Amino acid sequence: MLIANARILDPSCEPPVDFIGDILIEGDRIIKVGSNLAQTKIAQGAQHIDASGLCAAPGFLDIHVHLRDPGFTHKEDTITGCKAAAAGGVTGVCCMPNTKPVTDSEEVLSYILDKAKDADARVYPIASITKGMLGQELNDIAALHACGAVAVSDDGRPVENGGMMLKALKEAYKAGVPVISHCEDLTIIDGGIINEGRISKELGVKGMDRASEDSITAREIVLAESSDTAIHIAHVSTKGSVQLIREAKARGVKVTCETAPHYMMMTDELLLSYNANFRMNPPLREQEDCEAIVEGVLDGTIDAIVTDHAPHAAEEKANFLKAPNGIVGLETSFAAACTVLVHQCGMSLLDLVKLMSTNPANLLRLPGGTLREGSFADIVLFDPDRSWTVDAEKLHSKSKNTPFDGLELTGRVVRTILGGKTVFEL
């Protein structure tokens, strides 16, 4: 395959690559990146893709996804989740362990990896920190890593016991395994379902105080700093957490973090619609939080953009007060981030690709995030200036619980290539 006349964006190189050129693929690998490759002998007979007017970048890596497989396949499964990923330019997903059974054994890891062999994206399982995600007994982190887990997290729940978390950080650091923390104090949440503030009071529903997230973010930073280990903070949503992480990084603490597009562009005002597709955990916050998240992305405090793709069936989302938290996001992530960061804030496309591809690969030590010769031919072609309107019913996910339905976004994935084969084409 020859991708010709593309604007090639590769933040993994030093200096970063941004030029009009060609990418030559043989089998599942990139064998040459350069100019006028169509004239070379090796390109003769190759499938030619004219990418004029498009950007070519390393396929996006989403390191925070719920595929719901095994156990909740009425919401999503590995195959449908990866189809949604491909439609969003995502060539690799890290799936969280709150499955049924929990991803805390070689058997579940093997099931996930085996099912992913035929999927339209690479699947990297994340195992739980504690057995059954019950917070009572630490898993054998090194053994789970040897069985294919790329990281550990009890995401969906916090590790409530600080001593347990400290032990996990030490064991994981010794084994070279990243730890991802879901920062939430359940005693502060106490049944809250949306951000605590003016909107929760107006709706008469129990709120989720920012202190819940901020207090555990602070705890994880202290634990990592005191033990000289590393921590990755999941789905940052508050101005307080951004500032805590910024200050910790300045001190040299080994802390990294991620956020999702909805925290950059949506506030809890949307919940006045009483639509549960605007309910997720952490919840949509207030305008000052949105602004702090964007500032954190722009100044490098926030390392990666993820989706926290969390599918739920329509009937589960029908009752605003009883609905489970979570939204789908794989197909809208790039477009939403491009709209806010590139078109509204002036971020370079290279920096956006770094946040969605190169940085996630580096954070969890995954293959990908690069267009270097010899690397996997996992490539996304996109038009950063193409506007489109999200239609939930046209999403590839089994579930349609998107907060972006009906919203016009700017930035469109046109083709996704996985291992040298097209897995999505607009």
Side-chain angles (χ1 to χ4, degrees):
M1 182 186 288
L2 178 75
I3 300 169
N5 308 314
R7 180 181 172 187
I8 297 171
L9 301 169
D10 189 356
S12 74
C13 298
E14 191 55 52
V17 166
D18 183 350
F19 74 103
I20 304 297
D22 307 333
I23 302 171
L24 187 58
I25 299 163
E26 187 173 43
D28 65 353
R29 302 280 172 166
I30 295 169
I31 61 168
K32 189 71 177 172
V33 178
S35 301
N36 301 314
L37 297 185
Q39 311 304 319
T40 62
K41 185 176 289 187
I42 196 167
Q44 292 174 14
Q47 175 195 357
H48 282 226
I49 296 171
D50 184 5
S52 298
L54 301 178
C55 296
F60 304 133
L61 289 163
D62 191 333
I63 58 174
H64 195 135
V65 169
H66 298 270
L67 290 179
R68 305 300 193 201
D69 194 357
F72 305 102
T73 53
H74 65 287
K75 303 172 189 270
E76 192 80 282
D77 61 48
T78 302
I79 301 302
T80 60
C82 289
K83 282 189 183 301
V90 177
T91 55
V93 297
C94 296
C95 53
M96 287 297 178
N98 55 339
T99 49
K100 189 177 181 180
V102 168
T103 307
D104 64 357
S105 68
E106 181 179 356
E107 290 74 23
V108 179
L109 286 165
S110 295
Y111 165 86
I112 293 169
L113 291 169
D114 186 61
K115 195 163 182 185
K117 287 176 183 175
D118 299 320
D120 288 342
R122 302 183 193 278
V123 176
Y124 303 103
I126 293 173
S128 62
I129 294 171
T130 64
K131 291 187 177 178
M133 289 180 57
L134 298 173
Q136 296 171 1
E137 186 179 354
L138 194 65
N139 277 322
D140 186 334
I141 293 171
L144 291 170
H145 182 52
C147 294
V150 298
V152 291
S153 178
D154 273 8
D155 185 70
R157 291 184 58 83
V159 176
E160 295 184 75
N161 185 300
M164 180 74 71
M165 191 61 168
L166 181 59
K167 188 176 178 183
L169 287 172
K170 291 177 177 178
E171 290 295 315
Y173 196 65
K174 190 164 58 179
V177 182
V179 178
I180 301 170
S181 175
H182 173 110
C183 293
E184 180 180 25
D185 186 320
L186 297 179
T187 62
I188 293 175
I189 292 295
D190 192 28
I193 64 169
I194 68 172
N195 180 63
E196 185 175 279
R198 180 179 64 84
I199 302 301
S200 65
K201 291 181 176 65
E202 194 169 324
L203 291 175
V205 300
K206 199 161 192 177
M208 304 165 80
D209 195 308
R210 288 184 186 90
S212 165
E213 179 174 329
D214 296 348
S215 61
I216 304 300
T217 298
R219 183 195 79 174
E220 309 304 49
I221 288 169
V222 168
L223 294 178
E225 187 170 22
S226 67
S227 58
D228 195 26
T229 59
I231 187 70
H232 181 77
I233 308 296
H235 42 51
V236 173
S237 75
T238 69
K239 59 181 182 179
S241 285
V242 173
Q243 187 59 24
L244 285 164
I245 294 163
R246 180 182 287 118
E247 292 169 357
K249 283 188 169 190
R251 299 198 299 276
V253 182
K254 300 182 186 79
V255 57
T256 55
C257 67
E258 64 189 41
T259 195
H262 44 277
Y263 298 124
M264 294 187 278
M265 61 189 303
M266 295 181 173
T267 72
D268 58 357
E269 296 266 354
L270 292 166
L271 291 153
L272 291 171
S273 67
Y274 226 61
N275 181 346
N277 287 339
F278 294 110
R279 276 192 51 201
M280 69 285 294
N281 188 25
L284 295 177
R285 304 288 185 181
E286 298 178 26
Q287 185 60 35
E288 59 187 342
D289 298 286
C290 275
E291 291 170 3
I293 296 292
V294 170
E295 183 183 352
V297 171
L298 295 175
D299 72 12
T301 300
I302 295 172
D303 302 275
I305 293 172
V306 302
T307 60
D308 195 4
H309 179 83
H312 293 293
E315 59 272 20
E316 295 170 313
K317 277 289 194 177
N319 185 310
F320 179 78
L321 295 176
K322 296 180 180 178
N325 289 311
I327 61 170
V328 294
L330 282 164
E331 297 175 64
T332 52
S333 182
F334 165 72
C338 187
T339 300
V340 175
L341 296 173
V342 175
H343 293 287
Q344 295 176 14
C345 298
M347 174 180 275
S348 72
L349 286 169
L350 263 173
D351 283 343
L352 179 58
V353 171
K354 188 175 182 181
L355 285 162
M356 298 191 69
S357 183
T358 305
N359 279 2
N362 292 339
L363 286 168
L364 296 197
R365 302 156 200 169
L366 305 174
T370 182
L371 296 177
R372 286 194 179 101
E373 293 168 8
S375 62
F376 281 121
D378 296 351
I379 301 167
V380 57
L381 299 180
F382 62 83
D383 182 344
D385 299 316
R386 181 167 174 174
S387 294
W388 60 290
T389 301
V390 179
D391 182 346
E393 291 308 310
K394 293 182 179 177
L395 297 178
H396 293 72
S397 174
K398 275 187 186 179
S399 297
K400 313 300 179 185
N401 51 310
T402 173
F404 295 98
D405 189 31
L407 202 63
E408 184 178 58
L409 302 174
T410 304
R412 189 70 151 133
V413 171
V414 174
R415 185 188 292 257
T416 306
I417 296 164
L418 179 72
K421 296 179 180 176
T422 296
V423 289
F424 170 78
E425 187 176 1
L426 192 61

